[in-house]
Amino acid sequence: MLEHGGRLRLAAQQFGIELNQWLDLSTGIAPYPWPLPTISVGAWNRLPELDDGLEAAARDYYGVQALLPVAGSQAAIQVLPRLRGESRVGIVAPAYAEHAQAWRREGHRLQEISEGSVHRALERLDVLVVVNPGNPTGRRIETELLLSWQAQLAARGGWLVVDEAFIDCTPELSLAAHSPLPGLIVLRSFGKFFGLAGMRLGFVLAEQALLDRLDEQLGPWAVAGPTREVARAALLDVVQQEYQRQRLQADGLRLAVLLSQYGLPPAGGTSLFQLVLHERPPELHEFLARRGILVRLITAPPGLRFGLPGDEAGWARLEQALKEYRS
């Protein structure tokens, strides 16, 4: 099993700092609490039902006619490789490592490639996986380029899988509106933008026939009743969404400026995280951890990924640690 951000209990044990004393910047999840609705008793004591309005709310939010709720986009990442026979799969790297692991686990022939080499590799591929914006780089790939890749793959029955986990603050860059195209599969995370990762919810946008195959593999009741109820309310709350988007965009810029002020200019990022390349990433990672600040250690490219503090105390604490590091 791959390591991920958010392993706060392990860090607390490793560095001997109480769990509640940490500033966790390791996950790329919105740090602000979303206003939660009251969850009905029925959501807890009845099996989930599909006519509760979640799918309708999600279709409106993403602007699509067909989608499938899943238990986090991670569930789709793991199951999609089972829907194809042995295939030649390219992944634009660096990328979220679970993609490569899932395709490799199912016996597909995997090739990690750079964005610049896609045009040369595409004729040899059956599937291309792209994370857009990139994780951990924040790199955006233009819609026109992605659609040209989709067209070339679809012409011979191939797939373009686009993981848009960090795109909610820039929805105009999403391929959601194009998801009915053959062979295009768009993955959307719910928990990152809404700050509700513990609910384990994501959505797959694609042709209905492919969604039906994926649904069959996942089985009934893939998303819990309380999750469905909270998510429906959040997806309908347009006012809170706009506030969330503006706040994340402002704080993403604030983080980039703060890091730059202390000699750590980001090499890329999104509204939810900033990537800092560094000569000795483990050294800086440990320096911050010994002060109760957890960031994500990145190996390719070597650096650190910083998420957002959730309050002014967190911002002040991060700035103080950066001051100490530069002194």
Side-chain angles (χ1 to χ4, degrees):
M1 186 174 294
L2 298 174
E3 291 189 8
H4 297 284
R7 302 180 71 189
L8 200 57
R9 293 183 185 277
L10 180 62
Q13 294 171 7
Q14 182 178 353
F15 291 96
I17 300 173
E18 292 292 328
L19 197 64
N20 61 4
Q21 300 299 308
W22 283 84
L23 173 61
D24 186 4
L25 307 180
S26 68
T27 65
I29 296 167
Y32 328 119
W34 189 271
L36 298 177
T38 300
I39 300 175
S40 69
V41 174
W44 293 107
N45 67 9
R46 293 179 57 84
L47 288 170
E49 298 188 59
L50 301 184
D51 58 355
D52 59 0
L54 172 62
E55 282 82 358
R59 286 194 295 268
D60 286 344
Y61 178 81
Y62 295 116
V64 299
Q65 294 300 312
L67 52 71
L68 179 69
V70 293
S73 52
Q74 180 64 44
I77 289 170
Q78 299 208 180
V79 173
L80 280 172
R82 302 175 194 169
L83 302 186
R84 293 188 66 96
E86 183 180 336
S87 299
R88 299 161 298 176
V89 180
I91 295 181
V92 178
Y96 179 56
E98 289 287 350
H99 286 288
Q101 175 144 308
W103 287 95
R104 191 177 287 119
R105 183 190 300 119
E106 298 302 323
H108 299 281
R109 287 174 285 166
L110 189 70
Q111 179 183 4
E112 295 193 15
I113 57 180
S114 67
E115 180 185 335
S117 64
V118 169
H119 71 283
R120 295 191 300 273
L122 206 57
E123 64 181 16
R124 303 189 302 273
L125 298 177
D126 303 305
V127 177
L128 179 65
V129 179
V130 180
V131 181
N132 192 47
N135 177 18
T137 64
R139 165 80 174 132
R140 278 83 162 168
I141 301 177
E142 294 77 12
T143 297
E144 293 74 15
L145 183 56
L146 290 169
L147 290 178
S148 73
W149 294 347
Q150 173 273 327
Q152 293 176 66
L153 289 162
R156 54 180 186 275
W159 288 356
L160 174 65
V161 180
V162 185
D163 182 344
E164 296 184 342
F166 292 99
I167 212 165
D168 288 73
C169 282
T170 52
E172 68 277 5
L173 302 178
S174 174
L175 288 188
H178 302 278
S179 59
L181 290 172
L184 177 58
I185 303 167
V186 179
L187 308 180
R188 295 295 292 262
S189 168
F190 176 85
K192 292 180 177 63
F193 172 74
F194 289 93
L196 296 170
M199 287 173 46
R200 305 309 307 132
L201 178 64
F203 293 91
V204 182
L205 321 179
E207 291 181 289
Q208 188 62 58
L210 188 143
L211 296 177
D212 290 342
R213 292 176 61 204
L214 181 59
D215 192 21
E216 184 177 357
Q217 285 286 322
L218 292 170
W221 314 301
V223 178
T227 292
R228 294 181 64 91
E229 199 163 289
V230 172
R232 175 183 175 276
L235 290 167
L236 292 174
D237 193 344
V238 177
V239 173
Q240 184 67 25
Q241 290 164 19
E242 183 57 28
Y243 174 69
Q244 183 86 335
R245 192 168 287 114
Q246 292 176 3
R247 188 177 181 184
L248 288 170
Q249 289 171 339
D251 280 355
L253 178 59
R254 180 180 179 180
L255 179 60
V257 170
L258 177 63
L259 292 168
S260 298
Q261 286 175 344
Y262 291 97
L264 299 169
T270 70
S271 296
L272 284 163
F273 65 81
Q274 297 294 325
L275 174 66
V276 171
L277 302 183
H278 199 271
E279 295 177 353
R280 300 178 300 278
E283 176 188 287
L284 179 52
H285 181 270
E286 182 173 346
F287 179 90
L288 294 171
R290 293 198 177 280
R291 287 154 181 79
I293 300 174
L294 185 62
V295 298
R296 182 73 189 277
L297 186 62
I298 303 294
T299 56
L304 299 167
R305 197 187 71 181
F306 288 74
L308 301 177
D311 54 32
E312 288 303 318
W315 285 102
R317 188 171 168 188
L318 175 59
E319 181 167 12
Q320 180 59 37
L322 294 175
K323 273 184 187 176
E324 293 174 8
Y325 184 71
R326 301 309 301 181
S327 63

